[in-house]
Amino acid sequence: MILKGSQRGGARQLGDHLLKTTENEHVEVHEVRGFMASDLLGALREAEATAKGTRCKQYLFSVSLNPPETESVRIDVFEKTLEAIEERNGLTGQPRVVVFHEKEGRRHCHAVWSRIDAESMTARPLPFFKNKLREVSKQLYLEHGWKMPRGLMDSREADPRNFSLDEWQQAKRVGLRAGDLKAMIQECWAVSDSKAAFTKALEERGLYLAKGDRRAHVALTFEGEVISLPRALGKKAKEVAARLGPAESLPNVAITRQRIASDILPKLKDHREEARARAAAELKPVEEKRRAMQAAHAAERAKLDAGQKARLEQETRDRAARLRKGLAGLWDRLRGVYEKAKKQNEMEALWSLQRDREQRHALLQAQSKERQELQAKIRELRNAHAERLRELHRDTTKYRSLSRGEPPKVRAPEERPNTLRAKAAPSFTPEPQKTAKPRSAPSTEERLKSLRAQTPPAFTPERQNSISPEERLKRLRQRGKLDKGPSHEPDLER
């Protein structure tokens, strides 16, 4: 589980972000603790009002908990993680709010603590909180047997496509994902060994090399957004300058934008709009299905919550009826019946809480699996549309070369994109034939021995034992010889 934390202010902005439903399909306020207000916005504004009595500007501590994409994590795991974060950072007992978000089939959690100690009216210090969050994250991966990211094991091996909030917003303005934008620039850097090759690789992907106002080397997107090359490549400015040369030889940002506006934009504008319109048309039925699925999932959750609430109220009344009042209750206390009934009520209440959580987790797990299957189709369409736009930029670069009278450059076969090459078998290079010595014809025993060596071994019990039980179960189910087990979907009527 990846943990990211920050100290911040802006209670109202944070509250609006946590309750935003435009990007999140489901938003669930799980807990509001230690505040007079019972709603999330009221609690955060209360923390802001408390901080007015201090000089603290960053009075909130916000942490996001992102479990692995392929894992279904229960609520109690999130709660234990929050307790570990509180203990390591000295926030035990501090007011907090916990919110769950679901987006594109993934469920993650946000927790916000108030740093202000109401008794001393001082802010709780958070020294080295990033290192402490990293230790908690490693411990979670080890305890649950999850595959730990390489960047978490060693920060030097972190994914170079990771991006900050500013980079994500910048990529969003140009219609790309921040990880894809950085990966695109890094791909251009990897396939080029000179300034000319790097410039051509960028232009084929709709990016243009220029001299920045504050940064030495920058890349301009098709819409004119400025991207720092050293930051995108994860390299120092000296390393970039060593390959690309001094930035003074490049046109500045203003001239490059004029070139894009006068030469590139008119040619690709119509094609780009057509490609985006086609992408929107292809995504429309899938998006409608996603909205319908979102509404159906929300209705199922509301029905489950209502059923669990009614059942809890009835069970609470039944447990309260066991504890008699008046003289009968006094007599039960003297006989010890009251303590037995009280203990039984506590055990049943704990069991009811666990039962409701298991039922809700089963529902969320079934819905998440259904949503992830749809998200795979959406991701496939998005990748196809992105490749279509990249092809438009490649064609524009080719025709610009033709307009200057330059012959078209044919890419080498190994540079041409070919999805079938990865699936093809490796080519066979025959070895030079050696002069064979004359020999007599093989005997019958030798031919029989050669045939036996070429024949695959027969099926044996040892080979059967080498197959895992899960594989045998999967094969039986595929053949229809195994009845389906009981449904894991929760009983919504209860």
Side-chain angles (χ1 to χ4, degrees):
M1 186 180 298
I2 302 298
L3 307 178
K4 295 183 179 181
S6 63
Q7 304 176 73
R8 57 164 298 164
R12 182 56 185 268
Q13 293 82 357
L14 179 59
D16 292 340
H17 170 70
L18 293 178
L19 296 177
K20 187 183 296 184
T21 57
T22 54
E23 296 181 356
N24 301 297
E25 299 173 5
H26 300 283
V27 177
E28 176 189 349
V29 180
H30 178 68
E31 180 187 31
V32 178
R33 184 195 73 184
F35 295 99
M36 296 293 294
S38 59
D39 61 304
L40 186 142
L41 284 177
L44 295 182
R45 295 300 295 270
E46 183 179 331
E48 182 182 21
T50 306
K52 295 292 185 181
T54 67
R55 296 183 180 180
C56 182
K57 301 300 181 183
Q58 297 178 337
Y59 48 88
L60 297 175
F61 182 53
S62 175
V63 178
S64 64
L65 298 84
N66 298 281
E69 185 175 2
T70 57
E71 301 295 336
S72 178
V73 182
R74 300 180 182 274
I75 293 179
D76 55 350
V77 177
F78 285 102
E79 292 177 343
K80 291 181 180 178
T81 304
L82 295 177
E83 293 176 2
I85 294 174
E86 287 184 349
E87 183 180 355
R88 288 178 178 263
N89 291 278
L91 295 174
T92 303
Q94 285 296 108
R96 77 179 185 192
V97 296
V98 180
V99 183
F100 283 96
H101 285 174
E102 290 187 38
K103 179 182 179 181
E104 296 183 352
R106 296 191 62 180
R107 181 176 173 88
H108 61 276
C109 175
H110 293 272
V112 183
W113 285 268
S114 172
R115 295 181 55 209
I116 306 302
D117 190 337
E119 295 182 359
S120 62
M121 289 303 293
T122 57
R124 295 284 182 92
L126 299 174
F128 309 107
F129 68 87
K130 292 185 178 180
N131 294 337
K132 296 175 182 179
L133 292 179
R134 188 183 183 90
E135 293 174 1
V136 175
S137 180
K138 286 184 178 180
Q139 188 65 27
L140 285 172
Y141 277 95
L142 294 176
E143 288 181 357
H144 297 278
W146 299 331
K147 183 179 179 181
M148 187 179 300
R150 298 185 63 86
L152 186 59
M153 292 186 288
D154 188 354
S155 58
R156 294 172 296 180
E157 297 186 6
D159 189 352
R161 296 174 298 174
N162 291 339
F163 47 87
S164 63
L165 177 61
D166 294 337
E167 293 171 338
W168 174 77
Q169 291 175 341
Q170 185 182 52
K172 191 175 180 181
R173 287 196 296 269
V174 300
L176 292 173
R177 294 178 178 269
D180 296 340
L181 185 59
K182 294 188 70 174
M184 191 184 300
I185 297 176
Q186 292 165 10
E187 179 185 356
C188 297
W189 183 267
V191 300
S192 61
D193 57 356
S194 63
K195 175 183 174 182
F198 184 64
T199 303
K200 178 176 175 56
L202 285 178
E203 291 186 0
E204 288 182 351
R205 293 159 177 82
L207 301 170
Y208 304 91
L209 187 63
K211 174 183 174 297
D213 298 332
R214 292 179 297 175
R215 303 179 180 90
H217 295 83
V218 297
L220 266 69
T221 63
F222 182 75
E223 283 78 3
E225 288 285 342
V226 181
I227 302 169
S228 171
L229 283 182
R231 181 183 301 174
L233 294 172
K235 298 182 178 297
K236 296 182 179 180
K238 293 182 179 179
E239 299 180 26
V240 178
R243 179 182 296 188
L244 303 182
E248 287 73 14
S249 61
L250 299 173
N252 58 27
V253 173
I255 296 177
T256 306
R257 283 175 175 168
Q258 291 177 0
R259 171 195 164 192
I260 295 174
S262 61
D263 191 15
I264 308 300
L265 184 60
K267 296 180 180 180
L268 274 185
K269 185 176 180 180
D270 296 338
H271 298 294
R272 182 189 62 177
E273 296 300 328
E274 180 183 356
R276 290 182 176 176
R278 188 184 304 175
E282 293 177 357
L283 283 172
K284 185 177 180 180
V286 184
E287 183 65 19
E288 292 177 352
K289 186 176 181 180
R290 185 194 67 81
R291 292 198 185 106
M293 183 181 295
Q294 178 182 354
H297 288 178
E300 290 176 354
R301 298 183 186 189
K303 185 177 180 180
L304 177 64
D305 293 340
Q308 288 183 346
K309 183 179 180 181
R311 183 173 59 189
L312 177 62
E313 292 175 353
Q314 181 61 39
E315 291 176 349
T316 303
R317 287 193 294 266
D318 295 341
R319 288 193 290 268
R322 296 174 183 168
L323 305 177
R324 297 191 295 178
K325 299 180 181 179
L327 294 176
L330 179 59
W331 179 243
D332 289 343
R333 286 177 180 271
L334 294 175
R335 294 189 305 159
V337 176
Y338 177 85
E339 292 298 330
K340 293 181 180 179
K342 181 180 178 181
K343 188 174 182 179
Q344 181 181 357
N345 288 349
E346 292 175 352
M347 296 296 295
E348 290 184 0
L350 178 60
W351 180 85
S352 299
L353 176 62
Q354 294 175 349
R355 176 201 59 199
D356 292 346
R357 285 194 171 186
E358 288 291 335
Q359 193 174 10
R360 184 172 179 80
H361 178 76
L363 175 63
L364 295 179
Q365 190 175 14
Q367 291 182 349
S368 176
K369 183 178 179 181
E370 184 180 10
R371 179 63 180 85
Q372 289 174 0
E373 293 176 355
L374 179 62
Q375 185 62 29
K377 300 179 181 178
I378 296 176
R379 190 180 297 111
E380 183 179 353
L381 288 175
R382 285 176 178 173
N383 293 337
H385 301 155
E387 180 62 27
R388 191 177 302 163
L389 288 176
R390 284 194 291 268
E391 286 294 335
L392 288 175
H393 290 298
R394 294 193 189 102
D395 293 341
T396 302
T397 303
K398 179 178 67 176
Y399 289 119
R400 285 182 65 251
S401 301
L402 293 176
S403 65
R404 294 194 296 264
E406 300 177 0
K409 296 182 180 180
V410 181
R411 284 184 287 180
E414 61 270 10
E415 297 179 0
R416 298 173 186 170
N418 189 354
T419 57
L420 297 178
R421 185 179 292 112
K423 301 179 181 179
S427 58
F428 174 73
T429 304
E431 298 181 356
Q433 297 182 357
K434 300 180 180 179
T435 305
K437 298 181 179 180
R439 55 175 296 182
S440 58
S443 62
T444 306
E445 290 77 5
E446 292 179 352
R447 289 198 301 268
L448 182 59
K449 184 178 181 180
S450 176
L451 288 175
R452 286 176 176 174
Q454 297 175 3
T455 305
F459 180 81
T460 59
E462 288 77 7
R463 294 188 63 198
Q464 182 181 8
N465 295 334
S466 63
I467 303 175
S468 62
E470 293 78 4
E471 184 66 21
R472 289 200 297 270
L473 181 61
K474 182 178 179 181
R475 293 181 181 179
L476 287 174
R477 285 181 172 171
Q478 290 176 351
R479 296 173 184 173
K481 295 183 180 181
L482 186 65
D483 295 333
K484 294 183 178 180
S487 175
H488 293 286
E489 296 184 359
D491 185 5
L492 303 181
E493 301 295 338
R494 297 183 61 185

